[in-house]
Structures are given as structure tokens and as C-alpha cells.
Amino acid sequence: VIPLDDEIELLQAYLYIQKLHLKGRIRFCLDVRKSFLEESFMIPPLTLQPLVENSIQHGLRDRISGGKVEILITEKPEYMEIVVADNGVGFPSGKEERMPERMPVPRTSIGLNNVRERLQFYYKKEDVLQIERTEGITRIILKLYKSVTVRPETKGEGGVEHAAVDAGG
């Protein structure tokens, strides 16, 4: 795991490269609202960048102009909420966009499935990733729980300790 701040730095570097590459076709907005005390908030690496990449590659790839990706990171009492929203084509659902709907992660979305599976394994919770589509905006919502503890287990080969992750709650 790595500190969330390091993951945000990696994301900022990725966004810079995409801004240069896309030449104004897509606008990016990163809004971080967190108030950590002295401890770093740890998350699995490469959690955020695949979500933004998915928005660009699948939602906005055919946009000539006016594309928008917004990333909002908000601290909640029990978890960090990450929302990646774009105004792209969305996921094919075959339904009208009248009400907000929660959609399953399509099997063809390898990046989203990898992120979801890693977070479910790490946090031992099922509700780590949701997809919603309303009024032409697709939102991928992550819950990164604060109550994860790492506890040493047994010594493996060569006396190396292996750690187990236990999500409380």
C-alpha cells in the first residue's frame, strides 16, 4: 500500500501528460477535500489512475471538444470517497436516463474490474465501487475505508513476515 498523497501525485503527473496529449479536447478538475491528522491514509497503488484512464479511453475517446473529467476526493467519517465523473458516452445499459441508476461493472472493463477486485480483497467489503449514470454524467464512486489494519501473521520462507489485512466494521 502507498499513501493517498503519493497516489494523488501520480494521478497529477498522469493528468499533466493527458492534457498535453489531448490538446484541450478534455478538461480535468481534481478537487481534494481531506483533513488528515498526523497519519498517512494508505491505499492500494494504482487505484485512481485506471479510473481516469477508463473515462478517457472509453467515455471520451471520440470527443473532439467539450470533454470533462472531474475527480473529487472527500473524507467521510468512515471512509474516503473518490468520485471520477465524466460527460462521455457512458456504459451501455439500454435504459432511459430518468433516475440515477447503479450499474454493475461491465466484464469488458478490465481496469475497473481489477480496481474493484483489489479493493474488495484489501478492505474485505463488497461496496467499494459503484457506477452511476444521471443526466449524461457517468460517476465511478470508490469507498476507501479507514478501518483497515495490518497485522503480522506467520513467518514465511527465509523468516520473512507476511501481513494480513483486516477491515473492521
Side-chain angles (χ1 to χ4, degrees):
V1 294
I2 64 171
L4 176 61
D5 289 341
D6 290 359
E7 182 79 354
I8 291 170
E9 282 184 37
L10 291 170
L11 179 61
Q12 288 172 321
Y14 176 77
L15 293 176
Y16 177 76
I17 292 167
Q18 290 303 316
K19 284 178 188 177
L20 294 176
H21 175 72
L22 296 168
K23 299 178 178 148
R25 290 183 10 209
I26 300 173
R27 188 172 51 91
F28 299 97
C29 176
L30 174 61
D31 186 355
V32 180
R33 301 174 187 183
K34 59 185 181 71
S35 59
F36 303 128
L37 299 174
E38 295 177 17
E39 295 180 30
S40 291
F41 184 76
M42 306 298 283
I43 67 170
L46 282 175
T47 297
L48 305 181
Q49 183 262 330
L51 304 179
V52 175
E53 183 176 353
N54 188 75
S55 289
I56 296 167
Q57 296 299 321
H58 300 291
L60 298 164
R61 78 171 152 220
D62 295 330
R63 282 274 179 149
I64 295 170
S65 66
K68 184 168 51 171
V69 177
E70 295 180 345
I71 305 109
L72 175 61
I73 301 172
T74 309
E75 186 171 7
K76 304 286 185 176
E78 295 180 16
Y79 57 90
M80 292 295 292
E81 181 179 75
I82 315 289
V83 178
V84 177
D86 69 70
N87 65 343
V89 296
F91 292 93
S93 66
K95 297 179 183 177
E96 296 283 325
E97 291 184 25
R98 294 182 195 151
M99 298 281 292
E101 55 183 279
R102 292 181 192 224
M103 299 178 278
V105 177
R107 291 181 188 258
T108 56
S109 296
I110 295 168
L112 287 181
N113 277 310
N114 284 343
V115 169
R116 179 183 47 83
E117 288 173 7
R118 284 188 305 121
L119 293 177
Q120 285 175 338
F121 178 76
Y122 181 69
Y123 293 110
K124 306 289 189 244
K125 294 182 183 275
E126 293 295 314
D127 66 339
V128 293
L129 188 147
Q130 300 172 39
I131 302 172
E132 297 178 353
R133 178 125 175 115
T134 3
E135 300 175 3
I137 304 294
T138 301
R139 288 176 190 80
I140 300 169
I141 303 153
L142 294 184
K143 287 183 180 178
L144 306 177
Y145 290 92
K146 294 179 179 182
S147 59
V148 173
T149 57
V150 178
R151 55 180 165 73
E153 277 193 346
T154 58
K155 291 195 179 198
E157 292 181 36
V160 175
E161 278 193 9
H162 296 275
V165 176
D166 183 24

